[in-house]
Amino acid sequence: AQKITQTQPGMFVQEKEAVTLDCTYDTSDQSYGLFWYKQPSSGEMIFLIYQGSYDEQNATEGRYSLNFQKARKSANLVISASQLGDSAMYFCAMRGDNTGNQFYFGTGTSLTVIP
Amino acid sequence: DGGITQSPKYLFRKEGQNVTLSCEQNLNHDAMYWYRQDPGQGLRLIYYSQIVNDFQKGDIAEGYSVSREKKESFPLTVTSAQKNPTAFYLCASAFPGQDRQQYFGPGTRLTVT
């Protein structure tokens, strides 16, 4: 069975500081992808970053980086230099090679950036 | 511009009525998905389709129905059998492959009174 766990329902960070949002996963697939999405209050889902299970380097996209620790089955999102516009829900998701095109989402973390 | 459209953005219905939510994509994606999101909650999969004329139930399919007659379109009908239909509904699509992200529509907020 595939499962994504996000244990932080809510997080606060001071503007310009870095913040780490936790994500652990469980899968029996050998090959899989990990994704992070941002959902502002408007409801749209914005793709942030992708990490493949066989990628040796951690993915980075601008201020977003993914701290991938395969042995620990964790894929934490790091946001550097937080901005007020980063306040949103953040979802971790996984897609495996044997899951028939399904995506599995965590319950999300609500991030609030404090001025 | 390529993307996914969902209409309408807000929808109001009386209890006991069926309602159909539209989802159209011009990204040439094979797979399409419907999710339900309740306030402060994550996404729950209702139905998904990997190819035309084929679809599979997700975790919460009861009270919902779908069709996939065209690659571009994946409408969701919320039937009167759905006990708590008021929610935010998101449609998504993707290419096959575990390295391919999902693209989401803007969502439809359904209120049933």
Side-chain angles (χ1 to χ4, degrees), chain A residues 31-35 37 39 41-45 47 50 89 91 95-97 99-103 105-108, chain B residues 9 31 33 35 37 40-43 45 48 50 88 90 94-106 109:
Chain A
S31 180
Y32 48 89
L34 296 155
F35 305 82
Y37 289 87
Q39 187 180 42
S41 57
S42 59
E44 61 185 310
M45 293 283 283
F47 166 72
Y50 161 80
M89 282 288 286
F91 291 96
R95 185 182 195 183
D97 58 354
T99 56
N101 280 325
Q102 276 200 66
F103 287 77
F105 284 83
T107 51
Chain B
K9 193 172 176 67
Y33 310 78
Y35 294 95
Q37 189 177 28
Q41 304 295 314
L43 278 66
L45 182 65
Y48 69 104
Q50 300 189 65
F88 186 56
L90 280 161
F95 283 121
Q98 75 266 20
D99 61 337
R100 300 301 191 111
Q101 59 161 302
Q102 268 184 327
Y103 292 78
F104 285 84
R109 202 167 294 277

Side-chain angles (χ1 to χ4, degrees), chain B residues 45-100:
Chain B
L45 182 65
I46 306 172
Y47 270 98
Y48 69 104
S49 167
Q50 300 189 65
I51 56 171
V52 173
N53 292 323
D54 187 48
F55 46 83
Q56 288 79 42
K57 292 181 179 180
D59 301 319
I60 56 164
E62 186 175 346
Y64 299 97
S65 66
V66 293
S67 63
R68 186 90 185 273
E69 296 176 2
K70 299 187 299 182
K71 189 175 186 177
E72 305 79 26
S73 178
F74 191 41
L76 173 74
T77 297
V78 185
T79 75
S80 55
Q82 168 50 233
K83 293 191 173 72
N84 296 300
T86 294
F88 186 56
Y89 291 87
L90 280 161
C91 179
S93 68
F95 283 121
Q98 75 266 20
D99 61 337
R100 300 301 191 111

